[in-house]
Amino acid sequence: MSEWLSVYRAGLSLDNPLTVLMVGLCSTLAVSTRVEGSLFMGLAVMFVLLMSSVLVSTTRRWIPPEVRIPVFIVVIASFVTVVDLSMKAFLPTVYAFLGVWIPLIVVNCLVLGRAEGFAYHHGVWLSSADALGMGTGFAGVIVTLAAIREVFGTGTIIFFGRTLLAMPAAYEPPNVLVLFPGAFIVFAFVVAGSQALNRRIQARAKRGPL
Amino acid sequence: MRGALFRGGIHPDGRRGSASGATIEPATIPSRLAIPLAQSLGAPCEPLVAVGESVRRGQMIGDVRAKVSAPVHSPVDGTVVSIEPVLTPFGKSALAVLIEAAPEQDLESWVPVREDSDPLEVACSAGLVGLGGAAFPTRVKLDPPSDTRIGTVIVNGCECEPYLACDHRLMVEHADRVVAGGRMIADFVGADRVVVAIEDDKPEAVRAIRAEATGVEVRVLPSRYPQGAEKQLIRSVTGVEVPHGRLPFHVGVLVHNVGTVAALWEAFALRKPLFERVVTVAGAVVRPGNYLTAIGTSVRDLIAHAGGPTSEAGDRVIAGGPMMGHALGSLDVPVVKGLSGIVVLRAGETAPVVFGDQPCIRCARCWTACPMMLEPHAIGIRANVRDWDACESLHALDCIECGCCAYVCPSRRPLVQLIRAAKARLLVAGRSP
Amino acid sequence: MSDLTRLHVAPSPHVASPVRTSWVMTAVIVALAPSALWSVWLMGWTAAALFAVSIGSCVLTEWLWTRVAGRPSTLGDLSAVLTGALVAMTLPPRTPLWMAAVAGVVAIGLGKMIFGGLGWNIFNPALVGRAVVGISWAGVLAEVRPYAGGWYAVMPDAAAPGLDTVSGATRLAIAAADRAAGGAYGFEPADHYRSLLLSNTQGSLGEVSAALLVAGGLFLVLTRVVDWRIPLGYLGTVVAISAACGSDPLFNVLAGGVLLGAFFMATDYVTSPMDPRGRFLFGVGCGVFNMVVRLYGPMPEATTFAILFMNGLVPLIDRAFRPRTFGRRRQVA
Amino acid sequence: MPSTPSSAPRLVLTVVATCAIAATGLSFTHAATADRIAEQERRAVRRALAEVLGSSEGAVEVESVDESVLSRIASADPATPVEAVFRMSDLDGEMLGWGIAVAPRGYGGPVRMIVGLDSAGSVTGVKVVSHRETPGLGDKVVESGDHLAGYAGIGSSDAERAVKEVDAVTGATKSSRSVRDGVLAAARGWRAVLSEEQSR
Amino acid sequence: MSVVQQMGLLLVGSALVNNILLTRFIGLCPFFGISGNMRTAWGMTGAVLFVMTLATSVTWFAYNLLLVPLGVEEFLYIPAFILVIAALVQFVEMYLRKKSPGLYRSMGIYLPLITTNCAVLAAATEAVKPGFFKMNMEYGFGLAESVVYSIGVALGFGIALMSFSAIRERLESAPCPEWFRGTPLAFMTAGLLSLGYVGLGSLFGL
Amino acid sequence: MSEISMVVNAALALGAMGAVCGGLLAAASRRFHVEVDERVEAVLDSLPGSNCGACGSPSCFSIAEAIAGGKASVSACVAGGQSATDAVAAVMGLASEPMAAVVSARHCGGGTRAERGFDYSGLLSCRSLDHLAGGDLVCAWGCFGHGDCLRACPFDAVSIDERGLPRIDPSACTGCGLCVTECPRGASGLLALVVADAPVVVRCRAHDKPGARRRHCSACCIACRKCEQACPTGAITVVDRVAVIDYSICDGCGACVSACPQECIDLHGRMRGSAGSTDGAGPRAPGFAALAGSGEAAAP
Ligand SMILES: Cc1cc2nc3c(=O)[nH]c(=O)nc-3n(C[C@H](O)[C@H](O)[C@H](O)COP(=O)(O)O)c2cc1C
Ligand SMILES: Cc1cc2nc3c(=O)[nH]c(=O)nc-3n(C[C@H](O)[C@H](O)[C@H](O)COP(=O)(O)O)c2cc1C
Ligand SMILES: Cc1cc2nc3c(=O)[nH]c(=O)nc-3n(C[C@H](O)[C@H](O)[C@H](O)COP(=O)(O)O)c2cc1C
Ligand SMILES: Cc1cc2nc3c(=O)[nH]c(=O)nc-3n(C[C@H](O)[C@H](O)[C@H](O)CO)c2cc1C
Ligand code: SF4
Ligand code: SF4
Ligand code: SF4
Ligand code: SF4
Ligand code: FES
């Protein structure tokens, strides 16, 4: 269990897919203008990650290495299509916001990277930890980024029609934050922040009982 | 022939206190001299004398069996008191023969250079080296590889460094020697053309040489630093660029400083070895002048001979000119063959103190000024982060350390020092230029 | 210290040209001053306050940054002052002061110091500040643009036919609208030359007088502070493209931010190429971008974006154009 | 990576099997969601249509016009794409008006919107269904009820003049113009085609 | 509009106005991952240009000649496209490795990166499947337009990648604050780089 | 379309594509099969991966290739020390070669206590300073303190202390020797590699006359031979006017440290009976603190 936890935790901070490994950046920067959409993006990625990791790690023995990439990618694409179709059917407003970014989860570097890099070499148990850890890490960062961009860039955070947070009325939200330059710039600071955090975590690990 | 001059370069000013009007006069012989055994490029000499031995003026006191080297001679009659390491004006430590000068000196006679039918041997045993800066053994330059042909001998009278005037005075006062020496070299190497190149700010020298000039051309070049640098000079005079990694003889040219040429004439005509040279003492000294100085005289004695520093003097004393010279850490260093001048800079005249963290503002002034057409700012930046490979691919090794870049830099970056660090590094790593 | 007892050793060269970084910056500030002062004269305290706030915020940001980083202050090089002045000159006269302050902070903070300070930024700091503010509050800026009041009343603007058909717009915007409407507004560029040259209050602070900008620019070019190739490439391209596309060339040079950009902003050493050929190309690139957006884009003016876009290509241009080292054939990239 | 390659049939089989299984699974998913997706889309359209006519979703019957009519309408204003035209009536079959789905070019992409026209050809309402305008700038235009409401009541006959009276939003001229283009296209379509269509 | 003009606009639109990296956030992982070095950026640009063009052509056929006739395009296009691309890239990689080691060394090592590059899938899908991206351009191209379009996208990828990588090379020696060094500075730079592209928004109505 | 036929169509379509792709890859993996030497990867994994270059190769990868190809010895990695050698030998199936563990040690205690002959301005780099007028230190063997060694060390083992002298952390130092090469006075013994567990170090390597030396440095070895007399094992002797320790004899008792009147001998590695192992923070360390603020000793 402790191994499971440590694999899971790695995805949150020291091996965070977005701020450390720097994979899966596209959808993160693209959809993080709204917390609502980002949350579902995070969940969608987590779902695909979990399902494909589990499937890959259970079937890895039968998949010859020469064709592993095509096989993995078909598996992933199938789960993505499932998400795509279900979201269209059940959450049309969220789907309208996320648009093409759902199909593009297929090529989200994070998903294939973990399938190939982790699940292919580990059992189901640890692979699920990795998938959930990476998924949580991904979702955490993307929601954080979205929260910053939405509240500072539009002045409010609106979640399914309800206003969660609003800046004072005098606040003139700078649009740049919700436009594409803002995505990069805010993310730069999020990465800097998380790096600082990671340094502290590492320092603590170093100091800890040997 | 492409374009008239080399690209780049600068116009440094600050020739106040220059010694260009002062006639050459002998400096006093100090009681004690230190003659370094390594005064030329190449192998250091081994002492030929022992402590306690007495030596004569012009006697060879150090020599070595090596192709690239030049023997050294005693400039005085006296006694060897010690052989120990001293610091040279260029910051290197070298073994030196310390001589106590005899109280009576005969300044008209010397041990003559050994007779030899081979002029190269004469040039060698006279201890001739280039007096223009690098102190490269003249013998080697007079003996180009047999598959090359020297068509042009350029006598380098540009003297483009501010303050320095020893070459200028030599041309004014001994034009005959310069011209005769130039022709002599042309004879040795079989060149059909001798060009004396002089910057246009020395009209007096131009007149003097022209008056003597039989069989040599006089080329008056616009004054622009570093007009006197070998490759740039060849470019200005012949329009040809010495290819990268090649030497002047590859393009059929031989460049010699006027001092070297005059010394060569003396070695053959007067059988006089190279044991004294004209040194300019300029800047904030009481009597700026051009002094015929015995090699081995300490800079302290020489400055004292020039009347000592004036009250304007700052704390920087330069061996050589202000652009390429070395700042002295101590005045107790001997005059060597390669030392053309001592400049005592005025307080406030020096380039301000720098530590290398002023940013480059990419103004491209260094870029425009560099006569080697390098990118000094980029080499500087890369050297600062110790990226030597990048320095190499930026051709740091081609830099001639002329200092133009650092002179013009509005940010006062120590570009030359940075580039020099990179060069040293690359040479240690065995990368050939 | 004339006894030469304790010497000072430093690397060669031991003398240096008197041109210092602060000297260069001062020269640019001096060249800008006539335009700046003229805009203050025409538009009164609003303009003066804008200058004060944006210079102040630039200087303060830089000072705080070095202070927090524990490094010596770099204000002495005066580049922050220059950035501040240029930020103000890119803003319309009635810009809210808080917005100018934000522009200054962004310019120095995100545009310059975060890259390592003077000399390290890739993008023109003043334009980064201006662009961020412009994108963020485009609506607000569009509303504050027309200016009426202050001492401006003393110098009546040339009558501009068709001006009132599109309220509160720059002359470039009117020209664009006119072009879009197939000449329906009967816009006549030549009617605007005089006011663009001398007393244009329809644009940003830096656009009040093309004549003064040209004078300042020529001063910089003639004193060799800036390389003539950048302004020439820039303005030449503007003229060429507008002539080729049937737009009035002179109007296109005089109106909008082109002159300010070509002489004072595209020429920023730090963010322009070093090679003369590269500099010309850079100027041409700015001109192309600027004119294409003016004629075919949604925005009437694009100097800011044109220069920023080309700034991004500078390292690439620098790599493409390198000097051929003496005695070598061609530089291998 | 083992250095001996697996046998070729095995490679092919693995891929084909994966593909077949995936395809089968996906067809079932598709089958399970297709109706619902279609229903969602239909409802979104109906909601929008009802809105532009000012009635409630449950109170209208919607019927698409046939292809030939659509193409005739589209050719009335070739500059602006017309995506669909709906004829709307109340539950009793009483004609309420028309909903015309147009997609004029905006700043960032097509602004897909529905223009409602009553049976006299006057604009009853405008609703933007999807767009890519700049947040904070263009989107204020296409999402602002006030701005869009400015077009209500414009009659088809003099639409060209009347649309100009709706003020463009400063700083977002292009977005404003796209809405204007859309309304204009709808009005022209009505004038050219629907006015007679209706009387039939 | 003449065909040439149309293709020109298509190129400008896909390369600059809708620059895939800086304005649309596609293909960012390699953009940040391999821009540290100019040579790599060159290699990657070449590889992307090659693969993107090839992938678009192949998916065009797969879509129009297989999926659409069978009526399964709605839910199979994702697996189908990515399968084709992955297999294609892997095949090219193996081929180069064996047949042209020189080319492999300069370009082939980037191929595995490209397999899962969103840019390739996005460009192919965009060019082939109508209405995938909501943009001012009409999609659902014929084969020729699809190919021109994907070349444009790849060129845009190249321009952004190369300029970014040249910038990063220059910033390598920059004394930027310790807490911002590396990744954060790279993102900051990308943000400012994309500022310039803002000005191109909606150019020519694209 | 009926549901069944859709399922069949779908399976057919994707299956066919899968067959084509799979076939293509199967054929390719056969036709284009390339042998790769996995040992290169395995060797690379055993190396420190810092690309320090101390082995003479430009990168860890290139030396890994050389080792795997039998062109370099399993102990080629200097920085990796014994552990890397063992791991590489295991990968290569060869016997490991024992390596003498060494660390770098500084042989100068001058710093702020050594006289500087002139003022200097320019790059704060030892090498650059050494090029100019022979360096500002009067002592020709002393340390300039501008930290070229620090910048050369790929393992962050060097720091500059409050006396303006480099302090080498023996637990971080891998003995790669890059600092020694980098130091302009490395060749004359200012920095030198000593056995890794060297307990004490003589902080002076000057060879001029002790009387003259004393005049320009208050921390130097004065060749008084008190340490020689104090040393119970005879490990320390004055050779060529300076004390030198023979580490094959020295047992780390520390007697010489307290015997030296000049505070010229201090701790380096692990002393007998002591817990810590730091460079220069010996029993007299507090005294050194008084000489703080010397980082920029050359600044006028
Ligand atoms: C390593 C080296 C080798 C040289 N070999 C020759 C040579 O073979 N023949 C020759 O004429 N000059 C030779 N030179 C001399 C140069 O051409 C030049 O005249 C001399 O270095 C003086 O250079 P300066 O410009 O720095 O004063 C050599 C110089 C150097 C540094
Ligand atoms: C930057 C620079 C400037 C130089 N200026 C002069 C000069 O003004 N006069 C001169 O004789 N040599 C000058 N030299 C040295 C020449 O390059 C060349 O070495 C010399 O003329 C060769 O003659 P020599 O071997 O007789 O010394 C300069 C060298 C450099 C690198
Ligand atoms: C980042 C940015 C986003 C923009 N977004 C829009 C937009 O969504 N809609 C629009 O009509 N114009 C947009 N524009 C264009 C400008 O606001 C342009 O000036 C305006 O369309 C025309 O100016 P005017 O309204 O002042 O006449 C945008 C410009 C920028 C720089
Ligand atoms: C000719 C010249 C033009 C300049 N233009 C600008 C400018 O447009 N914007 C700016 O912020 N700084 C400008 N500066 C100041 C300075 O170079 C700039 O802030 C640097 O980019 C900061 O690193 C200029 C400086 C010079 C010498
Ligand atoms: S010192 Fe070197 S880099 Fe500088 S100008 Fe001279 S040759 Fe060029
Ligand atoms: S002269 Fe100085 S500031 Fe100008 S480019 Fe060269 S190094 Fe940079
Ligand atoms: S040990 Fe050598 S390199 Fe290190 S600081 Fe001292 S002099 Fe410099
Ligand atoms: S201190 Fe010297 S020997 Fe030790 S690791 Fe660092 S560079 Fe290598
Ligand atoms: S490249 Fe798009 S998610 Fe990695």
Side-chain angles (χ1 to χ4, degrees), chain F residues 126 142-149 160 166 182-185 190-191:
Chain F
C126 311
C143 167
F144 296 123
H146 292 316
D148 283 7
C149 45
I160 298 287
E182 183 70 18
C183 175
R185 294 181 165 180
L190 167 54
L191 285 186

Side-chain angles (χ1 to χ4, degrees), chain A residues 61-68 70-71 74-75 77-79 81-82 85-86 88-92 175 178-179, chain D residues 1-2 4-6 10-12 14-15 18-19 22-23 26 29-30 33 36-37 40-41 134-137 140:
Chain A
R61 240 166 294 148
W62 299 289
I63 302 173
E66 291 90 338
V67 293
R68 68 183 193 287
V71 168
V74 168
V75 169
S78 306
F79 286 118
T81 310
V82 169
L85 296 175
S86 334
K88 234 189 234 170
F90 300 103
L91 287 166
N175 282 321
V178 286
L179 292 178
Chain D
M1 204 193 279
T4 48
S6 319
R10 193 176 147 215
L11 296 185
V12 179
T14 320
V15 181
T18 319
C19 288
L26 287 181
T29 318
H30 174 65
T33 53
R36 205 175 150 118
I37 293 173
Q40 291 278 16
E41 280 168 3
T134 315
L137 207 57
K140 290 219 176 100

